Amino acid sequence: MRKLLFAILCAAVAATAFLACTKVPVVGRRQFNLIPDALMLPIGTSAYQSTLADLKLLKKGEQVEQVTQVSRAITRVAGSDRYDWETAVIKEPDTINAWALPGGKIAVYTGILPVCRNEAGLAFILGHEVGHVVARHGAERMSQQLAVLGGLAGLYAWTERRTELTDEQQAVLLAAVGLGAEVGVVLPFSRKHEREADVIGMMYMARAGYPPGESIKIWDRMEAAGAGSSLPAFLSTHPSDEQRQENLRDWLQQARRRYERNALDRDTTAVLWD
Ligand SMILES: [Zn+2]
């Protein structure tokens, strides 16, 4: 057992040292990523199929056409060839949510459309989800968890040799470090991922010809949708804070320049859903 744990630790350390760096599009951050697309894409596709099997899909009608049109505009900007893009519309008017899985599999709930309000708002939400995909956030998260696991395996091997620790003390120590690692290493990254997906989403919507200022307004509507009733599902997985809007404002000038070069010749801020 100890040998196996040691092997996991060595593999994690070696992988960290030699493989691990890829670059996130748009923002240019170097990321720690152990898992190649060839492994991640089939995981995303199979998770997508099994998740959709339990949900009520909207197959046709105006909402599907609108989501499909905006979705195509955004994925065209993101690069259509590397991923097998697909966007499902889930018929749940009370669920304010959207998500994306590795490999380009996206879902939009009908309940988020009134928060998007218009085509440009939807372009931002889709841009954000596409942002998670192209930034390979799923693979990065999994890589971090693997690294944490490798670190824990090393600590376990070390405590096993410390004869003065009882089994119980070892368990407590491991649990404490495990918890710390979860909170300290893995979770804060996910807020960083959210902000990164925001920036990528905003740049992509601008390049597709939608006014990027809508990306900031949507957070006010999201918060308003949460006031008084239960928290929108989108906010529980996508923590909203002022920092998030500030972060978008930092990139707004750059996004506006892209928008001005590519602006669509129709009003994409006219209210479609309320
Ligand atoms: Zn997100």
Side-chain angles (χ1 to χ4, degrees):
M1 186 63 182
R2 201 185 291 176
K3 266 186 183 164
L4 175 68
L5 290 169
F6 192 66
I8 294 174
L9 174 67
C10 289
V13 170
T16 311
F18 296 114
L19 295 177
C21 273
T22 49
K23 224 176 195 184
V24 177
V26 182
V27 293
R29 175 175 67 87
R30 297 196 77 79
Q31 72 181 168
F32 167 68
N33 196 347
L34 302 173
I35 307 165
D37 279 353
L39 195 64
M40 213 56 204
L41 269 47
I43 294 175
T45 305
S46 103
Y48 191 62
Q49 281 156 358
S50 61
T51 308
L52 292 191
D54 297 329
L55 295 167
K56 199 170 173 191
L57 296 187
L58 201 61
K59 294 279 190 190
K60 55 184 180 189
E62 204 179 20
Q63 288 175 328
V64 174
E65 283 161 25
Q66 288 159 330
V67 170
T68 306
Q69 186 193 359
V70 178
S71 190
R72 281 205 187 118
I74 297 292
T75 55
R76 203 176 298 131
V77 167
S80 310
D81 44 345
R82 280 224 325 269
Y83 300 101
D84 191 12
W85 297 107
E86 201 176 327
T87 307
V89 182
I90 318 289
K91 195 179 175 185
E92 282 189 32
D94 295 328
T95 306
I96 299 174
N97 205 7
W99 45 260
L101 289 169
K105 305 302 184 189
I106 295 167
V108 174
Y109 291 70
T110 50
I112 205 170
L113 295 177
V115 177
C116 293
R117 186 172 286 173
N118 52 41
E119 204 183 327
L122 177 62
F124 171 67
I125 291 293
L126 285 167
H128 173 97
E129 297 306 332
V130 164
H132 281 305
V133 173
V134 299
R136 297 188 176 85
H137 286 155
E140 186 179 10
R141 225 190 146 99
M142 210 184 259
S143 303
Q144 288 160 359
Q145 282 161 350
L146 283 174
V148 168
L149 204 69
L152 281 181
L155 186 76
Y156 183 78
W158 179 75
T159 59
E160 274 229 304
R161 287 192 201 104
R162 312 274 303 184
T163 46
E164 66 269 28
L165 289 176
T166 64
D167 283 357
E168 201 185 339
Q169 285 168 329
Q170 280 185 34
V172 168
L173 179 61
L174 285 172
V177 175
L179 194 67
E182 271 289 302
V183 174
V185 179
V186 181
L187 286 185
F189 244 112
S190 99
R191 279 176 185 254
K192 185 171 175 173
H193 283 175
E194 289 314 323
R195 287 205 293 273
E196 208 165 78
D198 280 352
V199 170
I200 298 172
M202 185 199 233
M203 290 301 171
Y204 283 178
M205 79 185 282
R207 254 154 67 185
Y210 297 101
E214 283 300 308
S215 68
I216 296 169
K217 291 183 196 158
I218 208 168
W219 291 111
D220 295 329
R221 295 200 289 271
M222 194 73 79
E223 297 236 315
S229 63
S230 59
L231 192 73
F234 194 80
L235 281 188
S236 65
T237 51
H238 297 76
S240 163
D241 45 40
E242 288 194 0
Q243 261 186 337
R244 205 162 167 169
Q245 285 186 329
E246 261 170 46
N247 178 51
L248 282 167
R249 277 190 199 101
D250 288 343
W251 290 77
L252 187 58
Q253 280 312 320
Q254 204 175 321
R256 276 205 181 117
R257 285 196 290 274
R258 289 185 191 206
Y259 164 65
E260 279 154 17
R261 286 197 297 271
N262 299 290
L264 294 168
D265 58 1
R266 60 175 190 275
D267 180 14
T268 57
T269 61
V271 179
L272 291 179
W273 313 282
D274 55 9

